[in-house]
């Protein structure tokens, strides 16, 4: 089992279901395998795997245009690579969507050796995208807050998963 | 080579009640149809139209979704073809308008413009059916059969470039609705919100 101070994949799944997510558009990272197995076992959840994170934006926009409620699951590295797609396909089309973003390099103390972490929050602030940090199960209600905010502002909201290095694998 | 306006006129006869993402054919399609089932988005971010078409097709499995994409978009997002083939939406019809250039930036050739076989690439990515057409007569003859069979299908169409050289700020805007209004209208007619 993941330790009690971690964000468990079951908690993330519960948040997805609670908020009516129908489709996960995603690109795996090294830490999300257990979540992948849970998602794949759920017959009500469609998984759409992409080969580059920016592709997820237009797929999610199409799903939303057709009446579904997609969520994106990617890593911060891919989020930064996806800047123009986030701008054009999600913000431009006013898609209310939550992006769960693995916060690679996050150390809590602000001292890190990974520029992926250095630029993550700066990137989100430059784009004006609201974000919430989730580190463990006690933070999980912030995911629901993110869904509500996305609906209110009709634009993407990011949940940074600061537990990337231990919570999603077993 | 075909003129985009001509092939869209041919397609319009067989459109039925399909959702049409006019993509790179938008400025011509809008002269033929601009209902809530028409989705002229302009260019939200290059390379993404195929993903948008996939998402829409998955969301609306009982409606045919037609996309007029381009070779420049495909080259930018070739991995989307594998995702589309894996999801295999039977209602998705993926046309590309291949003019061999980046027309909106002045007509510079796309890489290896004359030698890329996009239908072969789509087949290699897993599309069960893929076609190439460069003549209007052949396209007109085959189109009804292509649209009757299930997707996903990929149809590469060689078209004459329509190069734009005026500064972007001086170009005549052909879209009548903003992109987000287009999405709202579509969701409305689909009963999605």
């Amino acid at each position: 089992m993941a330790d009690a101070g971690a964000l468990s994949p079951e908690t993330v799944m519960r948040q997805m279901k609670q908020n009516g997510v129908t489709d996960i558009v995603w690109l795996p990272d090294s830490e999300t395998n257990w979540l992948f197995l849970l998602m794949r076992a759920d017959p009500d959840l469609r998984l759409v795997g992409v080969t580059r994170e920016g592709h997820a934006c237009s797929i999610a926009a199409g799903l939303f245009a057709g009446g579904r409620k997609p969520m994106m699951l990617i890593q911060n590295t891919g989020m930064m690579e996806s800047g123009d797609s986030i701008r054009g396909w999600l913000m431009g089309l006013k898609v209310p969507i939550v992006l769960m973003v693995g916060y690679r390099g996050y150390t809590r103390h602000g001292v890190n050796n990974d520029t992926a972490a250095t630029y993550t929050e700066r990137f989100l602030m430059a784009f004006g995208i609201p974000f919430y940090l989730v580190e463990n199960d006690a933070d999980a209600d912030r995911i629901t807050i993110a869904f509500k905010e996305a609906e209110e502002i009709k634009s993407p909201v990011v949940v940074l998963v600061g537990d990337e290095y231990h919570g999603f694998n077993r | 080579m075909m003129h985009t306006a001509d092939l869209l006129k041919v397609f319009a006869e067989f459109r039925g009640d399909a959702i049409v993402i006019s993509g790179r054919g938008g400025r011509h399609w809008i002269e033929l149809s601009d209902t809530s089932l028409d989705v002229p988005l302009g260019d939200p971010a290059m390379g993404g139209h195929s993903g948008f078409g996939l998402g829409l097709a998955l969301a609306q499995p009982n409606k045919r979704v037609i996309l007029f994409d381009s070779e420049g978009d495909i080259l930018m997002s070739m991995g989307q073809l594998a995702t589309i083939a894996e999801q295999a939406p039977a209602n998705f019809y993926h046309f590309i308008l291949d003019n061999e250039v980046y027309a909106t930036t002045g007509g510079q050739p796309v890489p290896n413009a004359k030698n890329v076989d996009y239908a072969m690439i789509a087949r290699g990515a897993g599309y069960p059916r893929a076609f190439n057409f460069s003549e209007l007569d052949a396209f007109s003859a085959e189109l009804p059969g292509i649209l009757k069979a299930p997707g996903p299908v990929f149809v590469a169409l060689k078209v004459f470039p329509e190069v734009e050289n005026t500064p972007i700020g001086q170009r005549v805007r052909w879209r009548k609705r903003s992109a987000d209004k287009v999405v709202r209208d579509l969701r409305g007619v689909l009963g999605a919100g």
Side-chain angles (χ1 to χ4, degrees):
Chain A
M1 291 288 290
D3 72 68
L7 178 65
S8 70
E10 288 85 356
T11 300
V12 175
M13 276 291 286
R14 219 168 13 252
Q15 286 287 327
M16 289 178 189
K17 306 297 280 187
Q18 198 173 301
N19 287 285
V21 171
T22 57
D23 305 77
I24 304 290
V25 191
W26 81 312
L27 199 147
D29 60 61
S30 56
E31 312 299 327
T32 54
N33 191 47
W34 188 259
L35 181 61
F36 166 64
L37 296 175
L38 281 180
M39 294 190 301
R40 195 175 61 175
D42 186 330
D44 298 325
L45 206 55
R46 174 164 41 214
L47 300 183
V48 182
V50 298
T51 57
R52 192 146 203 176
E53 291 85 347
H55 300 171
C57 301
S58 58
I59 294 172
L63 285 162
F64 168 73
R68 306 279 291 184
K69 185 160 184 178
M71 191 182 99
M72 280 170 55
L73 181 61
I74 59 175
Q75 199 178 50
N76 52 352
T77 49
M79 176 186 73
M80 289 187 274
E81 195 275 331
S82 305
D84 194 45
S85 294
I86 292 172
R87 176 201 62 79
W89 289 103
L90 299 180
M91 301 171 84
L93 299 189
K94 296 186 167 46
V95 178
I97 185 170
V98 168
L99 284 65
M100 285 201 74
V101 175
Y103 201 161
R104 198 189 89 182
Y106 175 72
T107 59
R108 182 178 290 188
H109 307 295
V111 178
N112 71 72
N113 296 311
D114 188 338
T115 55
T118 306
Y119 296 113
T120 293
E121 294 184 28
R122 297 180 196 180
F123 173 95
L124 289 166
M125 286 187 268
F127 274 70
I129 297 173
F131 61 93
Y132 297 89
L133 177 65
V134 172
E135 294 181 89
N136 53 48
D137 283 351
D139 298 334
D141 58 351
R142 294 176 196 167
I143 300 173
T144 289
I145 289 169
F147 275 104
K148 285 184 181 156
E149 185 165 355
E151 290 294 337
E152 280 165 18
I153 65 173
K154 297 183 171 48
S155 202
V157 175
V158 163
V159 172
L160 291 171
V161 181
D163 185 45
E164 194 217 14
Y165 285 115
H166 52 98
F168 284 177
N169 260 336
R170 288 177 183 173
Chain B
M1 287 262 190
M2 296 175 273
H3 291 286
T4 299
D6 293 342
L7 70 88
L8 289 176
K9 278 181 199 153
V10 171
F11 164 74
E13 293 174 38
F14 303 99
R15 179 254 183 94
D17 65 350
I19 299 169
V20 176
I21 306 162
S22 48
R24 301 290 170 183
R27 67 172 59 247
H28 296 296
W29 183 254
I30 207 164
E31 301 298 325
L32 300 169
S33 182
D34 191 25
T35 70
S36 294
L37 289 176
D38 297 300
V39 190
L41 295 174
D43 186 14
M46 191 168 177
H49 269 109
S50 58
F52 185 86
L54 169 64
L56 193 47
L58 292 175
Q60 291 288 323
N62 297 320
K63 277 218 166 290
R64 281 189 306 174
V65 173
I66 315 283
L67 166 64
F68 288 95
D69 209 352
S70 81
E71 90 287 8
D73 288 271
I74 293 292
L75 287 170
M76 197 172 270
S77 292
M78 219 169 257
Q80 290 275 35
L81 298 177
T83 295
I84 291 166
E86 181 179 62
Q87 296 293 325
N91 57 332
F92 187 46
Y93 297 81
H94 190 176
F95 295 80
I96 70 160
L97 303 169
D98 173 12
N99 61 12
E100 302 180 357
V101 300
Y102 295 110
T104 58
T105 60
Q108 307 89 337
V110 302
N112 209 16
K114 297 199 175 296
N115 300 308
V116 180
D117 185 335
Y118 296 100
M120 184 182 284
I121 290 170
R123 242 179 256 119
Y127 278 63
R129 295 189 301 136
F131 304 87
N132 283 307
F133 293 102
S134 55
E135 301 301 328
L136 192 62
D137 287 349
F139 173 66
S140 305
E142 297 297 325
L143 181 62
I146 289 170
L147 293 174
K148 268 186 196 146
V153 61
F154 187 92
V155 184
L157 306 166
K158 281 283 185 189
V159 298
F160 291 108
E162 297 170 7
V163 174
E164 294 182 80
N165 261 327
T166 50
I168 289 175
Q170 294 173 20
R171 292 178 192 172
V172 176
R173 290 182 67 85
W174 52 266
R175 284 191 292 140
K176 298 170 184 169
R177 297 176 284 158
S178 64
D180 62 293
K181 172 79 162 58
V182 166
V183 170
R184 278 203 309 279
D185 290 349
L186 178 62
R187 283 173 57 86
V189 78
L190 295 174

